[in-house]
Amino acid sequence: MRPLGIPTVQDRIVQGALRHVIEPIFERQFAQHSYGFRPGRGCKDALRRVDGLLRAGYRYVVDADVKSYFDTIPHDKLMSRVREHVADGRVLKLIQSFLEAKIMEGLEQWTPFAGAPQGAVLSPLLSNIYLNPLDHLMEQRGMEMVRYADDFVILCQTREEALAALELVKAWTAQAGLTLHPEKTRIADAQTEVFEFLGYAFKGGSRWPREKSKKKLRESLQPYLKRTSGESLQAIIAKINPKLRGWFGYFKHCRRAHMSKLDSWLRARLRTILRKRHGKRGRSWGPDHHRWPNEYFHSLGLFSLERAHKLKCQSMKMAH
């Protein structure tokens, strides 16, 4: 389990005000290829950059994973980087106090000497400040790094360039008091091997939702899809539709096949609920498709990932 540092309402207000003051100072220092937790930037910008580099022939990818990054940022080194651009002692003392806020685990309290508490308002900005020198080092060496918080990839045109980039990252993280995950950090040939970034899997010029992304969607829907649910089907659909729309909004650039499989899984779960209500046991199977066809769920307003994808493709063709 990863501990979360959830501040009090008062602390959240103070941290929000503090971020409002110091964020513009550091925004001027941040590198162009850093996209996480920054104004006017997001995951889709980072993904577009990766797509563009892959199309331009950058086929070798350093897929790096900093082990427990948020939990291991050394406080002394982080504060040194903050002091490079912030001189106000009161501001520095406030930041230090938030970093050293006691953590309760069970009935015990302890003071952390490393890490930026996940869940704290100020942590994303502090995490960007600490990795900013790495961003600029890669930029100075002419290496194409795309970073979203602690998740980053470096795209190279040759394997030799990728090996050199990986060695550079290893050396930098070691002196920064960080550790690259030995099993999750690797070099991949994007033409023949799968690599993952920000919820997507990439290979051979295509991208699709990685298995963890699909699993996460299914897990978020399952509490509403219990066979013993007493709610009407319309009420269930009204609750799951926003989740489906949000998921589609992020993954809509994938092939339709990835959408149709999830649609099929969802309708099967809804048919299983209907079987239970009709006194039948077990999961949905063949004959249920005739009793409750796909159009039946469409008529009840169920959001279809496949239909939404088809409409998106049609709109794009008309636009061209």
Side-chain angles (χ1 to χ4, degrees):
M1 297 291 288
R2 178 178 290 172
L4 296 178
I6 308 299
T8 63
V9 173
Q10 184 179 5
D11 282 352
R12 287 183 67 84
I13 293 170
V14 174
Q15 286 191 37
L18 192 55
R19 185 185 68 184
H20 183 73
V21 170
I22 68 173
E23 187 174 60
I25 298 170
F26 288 99
E27 266 299 313
R28 292 195 292 270
Q29 319 299 328
F30 288 158
Q32 184 67 22
H33 57 244
S34 167
Y35 296 93
F37 307 111
R38 294 184 59 190
R41 289 166 169 253
C43 291
K44 291 184 179 181
D45 300 305
L47 290 165
R48 273 193 290 270
R49 181 63 179 149
V50 170
D51 275 336
L53 290 166
L54 290 171
R55 286 195 298 270
Y58 289 75
R59 64 180 286 178
Y60 293 96
V61 181
V62 178
D63 187 0
D65 184 279
V66 181
K67 191 175 181 180
S68 303
Y69 173 61
F70 279 85
D71 300 331
T72 58
I73 303 172
H75 288 174
D76 55 344
K77 293 183 178 181
L78 172 59
M79 289 306 300
S80 294
R81 295 202 178 137
V82 174
R83 287 190 192 96
E84 290 174 7
H85 302 285
V86 176
D88 191 311
R90 293 167 300 176
V91 171
L92 293 169
K93 189 175 180 180
L94 264 177
I95 295 172
Q96 188 82 46
S97 69
F98 286 131
L99 288 173
E100 295 177 354
K102 291 185 182 296
I103 293 175
M104 178 168 281
E105 198 166 357
L107 297 176
E108 296 182 1
Q109 276 192 349
W110 52 279
T111 302
F113 296 99
Q118 293 199 61
V121 177
L122 208 54
S123 291
L125 175 60
L126 295 175
S127 69
N128 273 336
I129 291 170
Y130 198 64
L131 285 179
N132 188 48
L134 176 62
D135 294 340
H136 288 289
L137 175 62
M138 292 292 123
E139 199 169 44
Q140 289 162 10
R141 297 295 179 89
M143 295 175 176
E144 297 289 355
M145 183 165 91
V146 182
R147 183 172 70 80
Y148 190 95
D150 61 327
D151 194 358
F152 63 89
V153 289
I154 305 165
L155 291 97
C156 307
Q157 293 179 315
T158 67
R159 184 172 288 276
E160 289 72 26
E161 289 175 3
L163 287 167
L166 179 56
E167 288 306 312
L168 195 58
V169 171
K170 283 181 179 178
W172 187 90
T173 51
Q175 63 82 31
L178 304 172
T179 306
L180 290 180
H181 199 295
E183 296 174 3
K184 296 181 181 179
T185 300
R186 66 192 183 102
I187 294 173
D189 181 343
Q191 288 298 316
T192 59
E193 299 173 272
V194 174
F195 76 93
E196 297 180 347
F197 185 58
L198 297 181
Y200 276 91
F202 295 80
K203 181 184 175 183
S206 297
R207 64 168 168 160
W208 60 92
R210 66 177 187 166
E211 287 306 311
K212 282 186 179 179
S213 300
K214 291 185 276 190
K215 182 181 178 183
K216 190 174 180 180
L217 173 65
R218 290 193 294 264
E219 287 176 347
S220 73
L221 297 176
Q222 280 171 350
Y224 307 101
L225 302 173
K226 294 178 180 178
R227 294 175 68 247
T228 54
S229 173
E231 292 189 285
S232 68
L233 218 56
Q234 290 92 334
I236 294 172
I237 288 170
K239 288 181 177 178
I240 63 178
N241 272 352
K243 295 181 181 293
L244 293 169
R245 289 193 180 97
W247 197 88
F248 177 77
Y250 188 74
F251 290 105
K252 61 185 176 184
H253 298 294
C254 299
R255 291 181 180 176
R256 194 188 305 176
H258 299 288
M259 306 294 175
S260 61
K261 288 179 182 178
L262 285 166
D263 276 347
S264 296
W265 171 84
L266 176 55
R267 288 191 296 261
R269 294 297 298 258
L270 292 172
R271 289 186 181 106
T272 298
I273 294 173
L274 291 170
R275 279 180 64 83
K276 172 74 173 176
R277 292 177 181 178
H278 284 74
K280 297 181 180 294
R281 295 182 178 181
R283 294 184 176 181
S284 168
W285 65 296
D288 295 332
H289 286 259
H290 300 291
R291 178 176 291 184
W292 301 293
N294 295 352
E295 283 300 322
Y296 171 72
F297 299 105
H298 180 62
S299 69
L300 293 177
L302 179 65
F303 182 85
S304 166
L305 298 169
E306 185 178 10
R307 283 176 185 260
H309 189 280
K310 187 176 180 180
L311 287 171
K312 178 194 74 88
C313 292
Q314 289 174 349
S315 298
M316 288 175 65
K317 285 180 182 178
M318 290 175 66
H320 291 295

